[in-house]
Amino acid sequence: MDPIYLLYPAALMVGTAKGGLSSIGSLAVPLVALVMNPVTAAALLLPVYIVTDWVSVALYRRHYSAPNLKIMIPGMLAGVALATLMVSIAPEALLLILTGVIGLWYCLRSWGRALLKRPQPDATRPALIPGLGWSLLAGIASYITHSAGPPTQAYLLPQRLPKLEFAGTIALCFAVVNLSKLPGYWLAGQFGALDWVLLPGLVATGVAGTALGRWLTGVLPQAAYVRVIEALLLLLSVILLTKGITGLFQP
């Protein structure tokens, strides 16, 4: 299959995520990786992530959780720095599996409690140690696979933030973190795969996706919004687990 037929849907997913449905953007790289090297796929889509990040920041600039940002941004930047150093030696398959397990664990815990009709626990609050731990993992996963969604949501979703505040916090974190990847990607020579003819169309598709995502975030009720995020998180986690386990057995 020609990668172009998957690149445009992937760019739309990225934009829709930046508009508020955050998990769906993390499906973009695994989707394109079906027909090309995942590192090449990540490099091709990074400019789309960066441009749509700042569109998302403009959309949600008045809605964010400042206490969470103070914890998460340093943690994620530390994760990106660590991933830059370890990318040449850390098996990508293991990171994919770990990231997928985190998302799957969260969904099973949340839905299992609902099926057993157990009362939901009280909403959590921003906390330094858990926040730094999840954010460090999110930064590592973001650098290598653009898959920071599961660890980020495993930390934020239990806080039950209002939907716009949740989306804005994600937007600001990812905008800073994706910019921080540029030096490491450049030093690793990963931008040699960029197609400068194709790139404007991908970016435009991503920007259009932010409007779609912002509209969906606005019209979905709070409870439905959380369930959509959890459903997308489950789908992403299964894809990551499948890809990671398959990668372990490849020579």
Side-chain angles (χ1 to χ4, degrees):
M1 179 183 292
D2 189 337
I4 194 171
Y5 294 112
L6 293 181
L7 282 169
Y8 279 101
L12 186 67
M13 287 180 180
V14 172
T16 304
K18 302 307 179 181
L21 297 179
S22 56
S23 286
I24 195 170
S26 297
L27 298 173
V29 171
L31 176 68
V32 181
L34 295 174
V35 293
M36 67 169 61
N37 181 283
V39 176
T40 303
L44 280 169
L45 290 172
L46 181 59
V48 181
Y49 276 91
I50 290 174
V51 172
T52 54
D53 275 334
W54 292 99
V55 175
S56 181
V57 168
L59 291 172
Y60 293 102
R61 63 190 180 276
R62 296 185 180 89
H63 306 280
Y64 57 85
S65 168
N68 277 309
L69 290 178
K70 292 176 182 177
I71 296 171
M72 296 174 66
I73 289 179
M76 293 176 80
L77 290 176
V80 169
L82 180 60
T84 303
L85 297 175
M86 64 184 282
V87 69
S88 61
I89 58 173
E92 180 186 344
L94 290 180
L95 184 63
L96 289 170
I97 291 171
L98 178 60
T99 307
V101 165
I102 291 168
L104 189 62
W105 163 78
Y106 179 85
C107 291
L108 292 177
R109 186 185 69 166
S110 176
W111 296 348
R113 184 180 290 113
L115 288 173
L116 295 173
K117 297 183 179 181
R118 292 179 179 174
Q120 289 290 329
D122 293 336
T124 60
R125 298 179 63 83
L128 181 62
I129 300 304
L132 287 176
W134 287 120
S135 300
L136 182 73
L137 180 58
I140 295 171
S142 179
Y143 183 88
I144 298 178
T145 63
H146 291 330
S147 299
T152 302
Q153 291 159 21
Y155 171 63
L156 283 179
L157 283 174
Q159 297 182 33
R160 300 181 199 165
L161 298 172
K163 60 183 180 180
L164 295 182
E165 189 174 319
F166 173 86
T169 303
I170 293 281
L172 284 162
C173 283
F174 286 6
V176 172
V177 168
N178 281 329
L179 274 180
S180 75
K181 299 178 198 175
L182 287 172
Y185 273 54
W186 179 73
L187 289 173
Q190 294 186 16
F191 290 131
L194 288 181
D195 186 331
W196 296 101
V197 175
L198 187 62
L199 190 57
L202 293 177
V203 170
T205 302
V207 171
T210 61
L212 174 62
R214 179 63 181 86
W215 176 76
L216 290 171
T217 300
V219 299
L220 286 173
Q222 177 76 17
Y225 176 82
V226 172
R227 291 307 178 195
V228 168
I229 293 293
E230 289 178 344
L232 294 173
L233 179 59
L234 177 64
L235 177 60
L236 167 63
S237 300
V238 171
I239 290 174
L240 293 175
L241 278 169
T242 302
K243 187 173 178 58
I245 292 171
T246 302
L248 283 179
F249 294 98
Q250 289 179 345

